[in-house]
């Protein structure tokens, strides 16, 4: 009896080129088995493209992707088609239709293959909807009634019920609230088959058994969870910095030695010339001596030039390693004025479009308070920030907010897609030279071509960086920042740079996020929670 191969996905020399001919990645070799694995890497490096190649949705430009077992791929954007139902969103429509045809008398092999002995699939889906808190819906419910987070939960439920040997999930926690993220983590811990998760969610990556990083240099596997990976990367970066320092020292010492060598040669030449003149040597002999001296000096220059070139190349290679490993840098923000002045005063405010439990809010904040806003999707967190920003009018009550507050929403509506990033930053900050602003944008990972292109042509992560630059680098600086999920779409280096910058920001801050790791990194003073009993402000 032939034994089936265990489920695996193998990359054999895989490369992928973009339509313009540029190479996204090349010669990748890796095997994915049933060990839960996280795929990380900077925005734009090709993680989603690689995930789709692994799932069989894209063909590599060269090389092979060998799959043993059925693979189920879930994209990071779940967008139901017009007229789609929950069954469609869960990827179960073909099996459901086949069940209907079989019940009507079909004996087609294709229908039985689609069902694959999963006769209780409708009951399984309903049980899963009950488990994830969507039991009020059924397979025929229009997908259009679901929120973004609910749509992702249904799609995840379909993935878990797919019977696949491998799940490939691309940023599955992006649109989930805090409770839903915890449920996803528990759900994936119960999954017993192959799992690859593309993510920047550090809590989710913490339950992985292996982290694989995609970079322009290829794939590097780190056995262990996110904490192990982070420690390894920090050690790797320190080694790169130490190696650069060593190469620079090596070049400096060689330059000193070569300088001493030149000085000694010059002294010998001068001494020989004096001896020749004192001994009244014939001109022809003096000429020959000068020629030998110049030849010797020329050889020394060639040797030293070659040595200098070799050492500079070694310094350059070490510097490139540091550059490749360099983090994103955000410019240090200025220190603001008095920490005791009032920046927010809400008295009997009624918020529009939110549940009754969180409709009313009273809130008083000073410039020294830094508040994390937490709660489930749909409770009114974003609405609260919009009211504070003056984008929505309260239904009732008094709302006073300090002048000059800045709001960054999830959809980046203030970033004009038709204008360049540089033009918009110049409009926000007229006191800093353009060259300096270009440098700050470059340190964010936005190079020269990107900052002079329409911002609408940038990726999601790049647009968020551009919007953050226009908010954080504005002049005068904002006394109050209102940030709605600012970490969405950011890669790990950018997220960590944002954490450092916001931690150093000395103004008042209200930030909505479902990322506990992110919130705990900001040095917050208070927590504003949306609960079933209403809004509650507590010390962080």
């Amino acid at each position: 009896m032939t034994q089936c191969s265990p489920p695996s996905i193998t990359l054999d020399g895989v490369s992928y080129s973009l339509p313009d001919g540029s190479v996204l990645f090349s010669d990748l070799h890796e095997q994915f088995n049933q060990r839960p694995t996280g795929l990380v890497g900077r925005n734009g490096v090709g993680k989603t493209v690689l995930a789709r190649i692994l799932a069989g949705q894209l063909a590599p430009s060269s090389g092979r992707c060998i799959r043993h077992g059925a693979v189920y791929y879930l994209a990071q954007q779940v967008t139901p088609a017009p007229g789609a139902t929950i069954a469609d969103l869960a990827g179960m429509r073909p099996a459901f239709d086949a069940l209907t045809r079989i019940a009507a008398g079909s004996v087609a092999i294709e229908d039985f293959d689609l069902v694959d002995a999963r006769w209780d699939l409708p009951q399984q889906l309903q049980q899963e909807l009950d488990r994830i808190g969507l039991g009020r819906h059924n397979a025929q419910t229009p997908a259009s009634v679901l929120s973004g987070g609910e749509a992702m939960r249904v799609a995840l439920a379909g993935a878990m019920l797919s019977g696949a040997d491998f799940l490939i999930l691309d940023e599955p926690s992006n649109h989930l609230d805090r409770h839903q993220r915890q449920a996803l983590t528990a759900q994936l811990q119960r999954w017993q088959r192959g799992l690859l998760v593309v993510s920047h969610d550090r809590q989710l990556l913490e339950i992985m058994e292996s982290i694989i990083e995609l970079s322009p240099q290829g794939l590097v596997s780190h056995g262990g969870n996110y904490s192990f990976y982070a420690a390894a990367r920090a050690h790797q970066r320190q080694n790169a910095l130490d190696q650069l320092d060593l190469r620079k020292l090596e070049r400096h010492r060689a330059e000193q030695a070569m300088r001493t060598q030149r000085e000694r040669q010059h002294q010998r030449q001068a001494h020989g010339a004096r001896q020749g003149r004192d001994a009244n040597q014939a001109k022809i002999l003096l000429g020959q001596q000068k020629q030998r001296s110049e030849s010797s000096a020329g050889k020394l220059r060639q040797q030293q030039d070659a040595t200098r070139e070799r050492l500079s190349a070694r310094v350059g290679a070490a510097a490139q390693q540091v550059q490749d490993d360099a983090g994103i840098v955000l410019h240090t923000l200025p220190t603001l004025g008095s920490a005791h002045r009032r920046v927010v005063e809400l008295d009997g405010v009624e918020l529009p479009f939110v549940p009754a439990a969180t409709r009313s809010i009273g809130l008083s904040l000073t410039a020294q308070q830094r508040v994390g806003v937490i709660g489930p999707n749909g409770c009114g967190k974003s609405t609260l920030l919009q009211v504070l920003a003056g984008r929505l009018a309260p239904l009732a009550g008094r709302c006073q907010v300090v002048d000059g507050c800045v709001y960054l929403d999830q959809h980046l509506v203030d970033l004009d897609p038709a204008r360049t990033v540089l033009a918009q930053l110049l409009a926000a900050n007229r006191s800093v030279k353009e060259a300096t602003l270009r440098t700050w944008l470059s340190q964010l990972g936005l190079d020269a071509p990107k900052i002079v292109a329409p911002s609408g042509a940038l990726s999601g992560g790049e647009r968020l960086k551009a919007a953050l630059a226009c908010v954080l680098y504005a002049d005068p600086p904002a006394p109050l920042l209102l940030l709605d999920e600012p970490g969405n779409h950011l890669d790990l280096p950018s997220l960590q740079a944002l954490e450092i910058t916001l931690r150093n920001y000395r103004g008042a801050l209200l930030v909505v996020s479902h990322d506990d790791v992110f919130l705990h990194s900001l040095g917050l003073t208070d927590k504003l929670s949306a609960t079933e009993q209403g809004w509650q402000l507590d010390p962080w």
Side-chain angles (χ1 to χ4, degrees):
M1 181 176 178
T2 304
Q3 185 175 2
C4 295
S5 300
S8 66
I9 307 177
T10 302
L11 297 174
D12 181 17
V14 164
S15 302
Y16 190 84
S17 298
L18 298 173
D20 63 3
S22 58
V23 177
L24 191 58
F25 46 74
S26 64
D27 198 29
L28 300 185
H29 295 267
E30 188 63 56
Q31 184 175 72
F32 300 86
N33 52 31
Q34 290 184 280
R35 182 167 59 170
T37 299
L39 179 63
V40 301
R42 292 189 174 177
N43 289 336
V45 78
K47 300 185 299 297
T48 292
V49 170
L50 179 58
R52 294 184 65 198
I53 289 174
L54 289 167
Q57 294 196 353
L58 275 180
S61 301
S62 62
R64 299 184 302 161
C65 181
I66 306 163
R67 285 170 288 277
H68 293 291
V71 180
Y72 192 101
Y73 172 74
L74 182 59
Q76 58 179 294
Q77 293 294 337
V78 177
T79 307
T85 65
I86 279 181
D88 294 304
L89 196 56
M92 296 181 176
R93 172 58 60 192
F96 273 49
D97 289 346
L99 282 169
T100 300
R101 290 191 295 270
I102 291 171
S106 171
V107 292
I109 294 176
E110 295 81 1
D111 286 338
F112 284 86
D113 287 342
L114 283 169
V115 173
D116 194 25
R118 295 178 295 168
W119 304 108
D120 61 343
L121 197 56
Q123 292 78 16
Q124 288 184 33
L125 177 58
Q126 192 60 53
Q127 289 172 3
E128 193 67 12
L129 291 174
D130 292 338
R131 193 189 64 78
I132 63 177
L134 296 175
R136 63 189 181 278
H137 301 304
N138 58 48
Q140 304 308 319
T141 300
S144 58
V145 306
L146 303 176
S147 68
E150 289 171 339
M152 176 57 75
R153 287 154 65 194
V154 169
L156 283 166
M160 303 300 286
L161 293 174
S162 66
D165 298 297
F166 260 91
L167 292 185
I168 299 179
L169 310 179
D170 195 351
E171 296 287 0
S173 64
N174 255 9
H175 301 286
L176 303 183
D177 62 28
R178 193 161 171 262
H179 174 73
Q180 292 161 1
R181 289 184 178 209
Q182 293 170 347
L184 170 64
T185 298
Q187 193 173 21
L188 293 183
Q189 285 178 308
R190 294 193 298 269
W191 181 257
Q192 298 297 313
R193 282 163 272 177
L195 176 64
L196 177 68
V197 179
V198 182
S199 184
H200 301 132
D201 184 334
R202 287 162 288 188
Q203 285 182 297
L204 188 55
L205 293 172
E206 194 66 28
I207 68 168
M208 299 293 111
E209 295 180 11
S210 174
I211 304 293
I212 293 181
E213 182 176 16
L214 178 62
S215 75
Q217 286 71 48
L219 284 172
V220 177
S221 179
H222 300 268
N225 61 10
Y226 176 78
S227 295
F228 182 88
Y229 160 77
R233 292 291 281 115
H235 181 67
Q236 179 182 347
R237 176 158 178 77
Q238 188 58 53
N239 283 346
L241 291 169
D242 292 344
Q243 186 71 6
L244 177 58
D245 289 341
L246 180 63
R247 294 306 182 202
K248 286 181 176 178
L249 179 61
E250 182 182 49
R251 183 174 64 179
H252 175 70
R253 287 174 174 172
E255 286 286 1
Q256 287 182 320
M258 290 187 292
R259 190 180 306 114
T260 300
Q261 194 177 19
R262 290 195 302 271
E263 289 171 354
R264 288 177 178 173
Q265 185 189 58
H266 179 71
Q267 291 170 357
R268 288 195 299 269
Q269 289 172 342
H271 180 69
R274 285 196 302 271
Q275 281 186 327
R277 287 194 300 271
D278 293 343
N280 293 322
Q281 289 181 351
K283 288 184 178 181
I284 189 171
L285 293 176
L286 288 173
Q288 290 173 345
Q289 183 179 359
K290 181 180 179 182
Q291 188 177 11
R292 288 195 299 271
S293 177
E294 290 175 348
S295 175
S296 176
K299 289 180 179 178
L300 181 62
R301 278 196 302 273
Q302 289 178 349
Q303 291 172 353
Q304 290 191 348
D305 286 346
T307 299
R308 191 175 291 109
E309 184 177 349
R310 184 179 71 255
L311 292 172
S312 292
R314 296 176 75 175
V315 170
Q320 185 61 50
Q321 287 291 326
V322 172
Q323 179 63 32
D324 291 342
D325 200 37
I328 300 297
V329 177
L330 277 162
H331 175 65
T332 302
L333 301 177
T335 300
L336 302 176
S338 170
H340 299 290
R341 66 171 173 161
R342 195 74 55 190
V343 294
V344 170
E345 193 72 49
L346 301 182
D347 183 15
V349 164
E350 298 282 328
L351 301 175
F353 316 122
V354 302
T358 50
R359 188 170 301 154
S360 299
I361 181 170
L363 184 66
S364 180
L365 299 177
T366 65
Q368 65 184 349
Q369 288 181 273
R370 305 161 55 79
V371 183
V373 185
I374 64 174
N377 285 337
C379 68
K381 302 184 300 298
S382 296
T383 300
L384 172 62
L385 262 60
Q386 290 180 65
V387 168
L388 291 171
R391 306 295 176 91
L392 282 177
L395 300 176
R398 182 172 60 91
C399 177
Q400 289 186 333
V401 180
V402 65
D403 290 338
C405 87
V406 173
Y407 170 59
L408 183 67
D409 72 300
Q410 293 186 50
H411 305 292
L412 312 178
V413 295
D414 286 341
L415 191 68
D416 187 344
R419 297 177 66 200
T420 69
V421 176
L422 182 60
Q424 294 180 74
L425 182 54
L426 284 167
N429 191 328
R430 300 180 184 277
S431 64
V432 175
K433 293 181 179 179
E434 179 178 327
T436 302
L437 296 179
R438 284 177 175 268
T439 299
W440 292 355
L441 289 170
S442 174
Q443 291 172 335
L444 268 174
L446 298 172
D447 58 23
K450 289 174 181 173
I451 67 174
V452 296
S455 64
L458 303 180
S459 70
E462 290 165 345
R463 292 183 66 247
L464 180 55
K465 290 178 186 178
L468 282 169
C470 292
V471 167
L472 297 176
Y473 299 158
D475 184 49
L480 170 64
L481 292 182
L482 307 171
L483 306 178
D484 195 355
E485 292 285 359
N488 273 3
H489 307 295
L490 286 183
D491 55 31
L492 287 169
S494 302
L495 191 59
Q496 290 160 349
L498 177 61
E499 290 168 355
I500 292 170
T501 301
L502 293 180
R503 193 160 61 240
N504 293 330
Y505 171 70
R506 288 291 147 251
L509 174 69
L510 270 84
V511 55
V512 171
S513 179
H514 297 300
D515 186 339
D516 286 345
V517 178
F518 174 70
L519 289 175
H520 282 286
S521 300
L522 301 184
L524 299 175
T525 61
D526 299 275
K527 173 172 58 178
L528 181 62
S529 306
T531 73
E532 294 181 357
Q533 290 73 43
W535 294 96
Q536 184 172 332
L537 184 67
D538 300 297
W540 188 264

